[in-house]
Amino acid sequence: MGSVVDDAASVEFHAFFEQHYAELSRLAHLLTGEADAADDLAADALLALWHRWDRVRAADHPVAYARGVVANLARTRIRSAVRERRRIALFWSHREEKTENPDVAGVVDVQSALRRLPFRKRACVVLRHAFDLSERDTALALGVSVGTVKSQTSKGMAELQRLLGTQVVPQRVHAAMARGGVSGGRNR
């Protein structure tokens, strides 16, 4: 059961939402250039405002505060997209051409084993052994420390050796990648 103050705040926030949602969504669209993301960013901003509604409603210019939240969320989204594009470019820049007569069974085994690894271990193994990236480049691509890359690669390789029952896992990962399409970043 809410108090009168809570109900008043809820009504006030609802009115603010109705009055400013479309404007905040347009702002997000203009800042990011992504129509699909604009509504989500506006909704995320308004959710953040709701969590701090007592502070926001006491501000001199609540709409300016809301616009600032949208701008910060848009900046974060843009930075994330830039990092993702860099990772993808780095990922594909080292990709070798497919070879003829692939060992389909071997590729399927490696793909299946890789899909069973948690994402970070899988990404480290694929970047290090299939794309031959250095520990530093792998850390840069994943946004983690070099120590994390070392640890996750080691644990991932141990897990692959257990799953594949072989001591030549790095060569099998590299060979499977060269022969036709191990996906390092997605479960299919």
Side-chain angles (χ1 to χ4, degrees):
M1 189 186 275
S3 69
V4 174
V5 174
D6 291 341
D7 291 340
S10 180
V11 167
E12 189 178 40
F13 177 78
H14 183 74
F16 183 88
F17 181 98
E18 292 295 324
Q19 186 176 1
H20 299 288
Y21 177 78
E23 172 194 346
L24 295 174
S25 182
R26 276 193 314 273
L27 174 61
H29 180 220
L30 291 171
L31 291 174
T32 64
E34 299 178 30
D36 295 343
D39 287 336
D40 290 341
L41 287 172
D44 289 347
L46 285 162
L47 179 62
L49 292 175
W50 172 245
H51 289 296
R52 295 180 238 136
W53 187 242
D54 287 341
R55 257 191 289 164
V56 174
R57 70 197 270 211
D60 290 335
H61 303 287
V63 176
Y65 188 88
R67 289 180 188 136
V69 172
V70 169
N72 286 334
L73 289 173
R75 181 182 312 115
T76 299
R77 182 173 183 86
I78 290 166
R79 286 179 178 165
S80 178
V82 167
R83 280 192 306 270
E84 185 64 22
R85 280 193 292 272
R86 285 181 186 152
R87 288 178 188 146
I88 289 169
L90 183 62
F91 217 64
W92 290 109
S93 67
H94 295 292
R95 183 159 187 206
E96 296 178 19
E97 295 296 318
K98 293 183 179 182
T99 60
E100 293 182 29
N101 303 321
D103 176 9
V104 175
V107 171
V108 169
D109 288 347
V110 171
Q111 286 178 333
S112 176
L114 283 169
R115 278 193 296 272
R116 293 179 65 187
L117 295 179
F119 174 78
R120 187 174 285 171
K121 287 179 188 172
R122 181 177 355 133
C124 287
V125 167
V126 169
L127 289 172
R128 292 282 294 128
H129 294 287
F131 288 92
D132 296 321
L133 293 185
S134 68
E135 290 167 342
R136 184 181 169 278
D137 287 343
T138 301
L140 180 63
L142 297 175
V144 298
S145 71
V146 171
T148 298
V149 169
K150 290 178 180 181
S151 160
Q152 293 297 294
T153 301
S154 174
K155 291 174 183 176
M157 293 304 289
E159 182 79 8
L160 284 176
Q161 285 176 337
R162 188 184 64 74
L163 292 169
L164 295 171
T166 180
Q167 295 299 316
V168 291
V169 171
Q171 293 86 349
R172 284 189 68 189
V173 170
H174 187 59
M177 185 62 198
R179 287 194 183 110
V182 171
S183 172
R186 308 184 114 184
N187 278 337
R188 292 188 190 231

